[in-house]
Amino acid sequence: MPSLPDIMTPDAEALAKAAGKGRRVTLPAGSPEHDLFTGLTRMGDNTLILGHRVSEWCGHAPVLEEDIALANVALDMIGQTQLWLGLAGTVEGHGRSADDLAFLRDAWHFRNLLLVERPNRDFGHTLMRQFLFDAWHQPMLKALEGSSDDRIGEIALKAGKEVAYHLERSADLVIRLGDGTEESHAKMKDALERLWPYAGEMFLADEVDVRLAHEGLMPDPAGIRPAWDETVAEILAEATLNRPDSDFAHKGGKQGRHTEDLGHLLTSMQWLQRAYPGATW
Amino acid sequence: MYAQMVKSEATNDDPALLEAFQARVDANEKIEPKEWMPEGYRKTLIRQIGQHAHSEIVGQLPEGNWITRAPTLERKAILLAKVQDEAGHGLYLYCAAETLGISRDEMTEMLLSGRMKYSSIFNYPTLTWADIGAVGWLVDGAAIMNQVPLQRTSFGPYSRAMIRICKEESFHQRQGYDIMMKMAKGTPEQKEMAQDALNRFWYPSLMMFGPSDKDSVHSAQSMAWKIKINTNDELRQKFVDQTVPQAEYLGLTVPDPELKWNEEKGGHDFSEPDWSEFYDVLQGNGPCNRDRIEARQKAWEDGAWVRDAMVAHAEKRAAKRIATE
């Protein structure tokens, strides 16, 4: 293989040093703190990214009541983000706030599920995404209430109350739109088929999950599946929608390998913090 | 937000009934939906409350423009809560208007076809984060100035809606001012953004009170009916007197070289806004008129299948219930 031409940079060493400046010491991978930090950012990044997506609807919903409800759900999720990422920053112990984590990490450091970063498309797609997520989120939070870390249990308890309502609402709308008109049924069927390959990631454990489960900090994701399956089966049946056959699952979000959509979302979300570093707002 | 330039409608009712009605209004009695009222009173209120409701709905757009770019999680949450409140205000107001015999769908249709208006302040763009501060501080500030007296308006449902709305609006204004404080005391760029936002929103805010009383021919009837409580000029003066010291506290300059304290009248002298600009915006030539209405039309059209499905599903459920009974 021919060697690439050397690009001469006379002060390469100084530049390398400057580039490294401000880079924080990262927790050693596999350490208990790093695992917990990862688990917490997974929770907080899910609510941050989905909250952001839902907030994109503001002022554009099909009816006024839905504008209000969507804003309400987004607001709850942004509030939950503050708690999860706030605790993640504390656990990390390098002085990063929830805002630092939300606005100053790049895409590959985000740990959210791929499902939540998928674009809104239409109202039916947005609600189907919400339903598939809520049906996981609720039992997940229920399990987290019993975490061996009380700080996690407290956040889960508070968030769980909000999410019970999110699930009630998204399930109700999936039923109404699935079993509405021919057109709405077709749109919901399409939404379900498009989103289905992103649902499986919620239940796949990696080694971080295994260690967190072993410590009793967070549940084994596979254990959430039966509750999710039950809710999804019940609601889809009522919505006259068939559960897709394929169990293929796109994955990688929890490890920081995202879809192209996340970068664009972050570009607008992080704009001010990136354009005016160090300013307070 | 509020309604501007609502013309009071002519009325052709029985003079004896009119006199009795006026006596009730003069005695500060609240008029309730099922009670007799002059046709002109009903029509004027439908237009005024409807326009006010539409302003809340269209008003979501310039602020919603920054929700996805809010600079911190707290700011994002506050702005979401605020815009959600605006939608809620729209809902109470549509309900208040519905008590007068018009449906929300009819009013929406009239907004989308341009037969009903919304406050023209929302035809100005929000270009920087400081604009979100300026909208809360100045636009909501001007709205409060208009709405506080309307808590005493003669029509019961409108007056009660105003009481709820005013409580929330004062929170909105404080959050706007809080953003301005952070910006005005922040980095040089932030301060520059804050001054620029004040420069752009000052005169449009003054326009929110409507043209001078001497040019506003429809005020007298509305004031007699207590649909309108103060004159446009009174409210504008009050707004300027309240806002100037707030701008000084921020270290920002009100973009009016003629602005000065007038000891004799106990208020500020200030320049009139450019009323030709006001009429241009009113006629559809503001920077965002077309974008705003198209955004609302799109939301309505894109949402049609959802609304249809909800109705279809409700009918199916009802049919099932009947079948099982």
Side-chain angles (χ1 to χ4, degrees), chain A residues 27-76:
Chain A
L27 293 167
S31 67
E33 293 78 14
H34 186 267
D35 285 347
L36 186 53
F37 174 79
T38 303
L40 291 166
T41 51
R42 286 174 179 173
M43 292 304 293
D45 290 346
N46 279 336
T47 51
L48 173 60
I49 301 303
L50 187 55
H52 185 96
R53 279 284 183 237
V54 175
S55 80
E56 291 172 0
W57 271 99
C58 195
H60 306 280
V63 276
L64 194 46
E65 285 81 352
E66 289 307 321
D67 250 324
I68 295 172
L70 287 165
N72 199 43
V73 170
L75 194 53
D76 285 346

Side-chain angles (χ1 to χ4, degrees), chain A residues 70-228:
Chain A
L70 287 165
N72 199 43
V73 170
L75 194 53
D76 285 346
M77 287 193 287
I78 299 305
Q80 292 166 16
T81 303
Q82 288 174 297
L83 301 174
W84 289 124
L85 294 186
L87 182 55
T90 305
V91 166
E92 186 189 40
H94 294 310
R96 284 204 279 183
S97 66
D99 280 338
D100 292 336
L101 292 171
F103 295 97
L104 299 175
R105 281 178 302 156
D106 203 346
W108 69 84
H109 284 134
F110 274 76
R111 294 289 178 265
N112 57 280
L113 299 161
L114 299 177
L115 175 72
V116 299
E117 69 199 44
R118 300 304 293 155
N120 288 341
R121 300 179 70 94
D122 63 20
F123 185 77
H125 198 269
T126 296
L127 261 298
M128 183 59 82
R129 183 186 60 200
Q130 188 73 40
F131 168 66
L132 296 175
F133 178 76
D134 292 341
W136 167 82
H137 202 197
Q138 200 211 19
M140 180 67 184
L141 290 169
K142 196 79 210 153
L144 284 169
E145 278 180 33
S147 168
S148 55
D149 186 328
D150 290 344
R151 297 170 299 179
I152 294 176
E154 276 167 30
I155 297 174
L157 187 66
K158 184 183 181 297
K161 288 178 189 154
E162 296 166 347
V163 169
Y165 158 74
H166 298 177
L167 177 58
E168 194 183 309
R169 172 175 174 276
S170 61
D172 181 59
L173 281 165
V174 165
I175 293 169
R176 284 167 195 261
L177 298 176
D179 185 24
T181 60
E182 221 171 281
E183 184 186 9
S184 73
H185 180 84
K187 282 184 188 288
M188 295 311 278
K189 180 172 177 287
D190 177 63
L192 179 62
E193 284 166 3
R194 280 173 186 278
L195 290 164
W196 191 255
Y198 294 94
E201 188 185 8
M202 298 190 280
F203 312 106
L204 296 176
D206 63 5
E207 49 193 29
V208 174
D209 291 312
V210 171
R211 288 193 295 266
L212 287 172
H214 186 256
E215 297 299 322
L217 286 161
M218 290 193 170
D220 173 2
I224 308 299
R225 180 124 213 176
W228 187 84

Side-chain angles (χ1 to χ4, degrees), chain A residues 59 65 99 179 273 280-281, chain B residues 71 75 104 190 296 313 316:
Chain A
E65 285 81 352
D99 280 338
D179 185 24
Q273 290 275 359
T280 51
W281 303 93
Chain B
R75 290 287 178 210
R104 201 208 298 181
Q190 284 177 304
R296 290 308 309 162
H313 183 80
K316 281 184 196 178

Side-chain angles (χ1 to χ4, degrees), chain B residues 147-160:
Chain B
Q147 288 169 356
V148 164
L150 286 175
Q151 295 177 96
R152 292 183 282 117
T153 193
S154 58
F155 186 55
Y158 193 26
S159 132
R160 290 188 289 272

Side-chain angles (χ1 to χ4, degrees), chain B residues 1 12 14 36 39 56 79 83 88 91 107 127 148 150 153 155 191-192 207 209 212 232 291 312 315 320:
Chain B
M1 253 328 301
N12 296 309
D14 177 345
W36 186 86
E39 251 336 277
E56 301 282 0
L79 187 56
V83 179
L91 201 54
M107 286 183 275
L127 302 176
V148 164
L150 286 175
T153 193
F155 186 55
K191 185 162 183 184
E192 206 180 327
M207 292 176 197
F209 299 95
S212 178
N232 296 348
D291 294 343
E315 283 167 359
K320 259 187 216 158

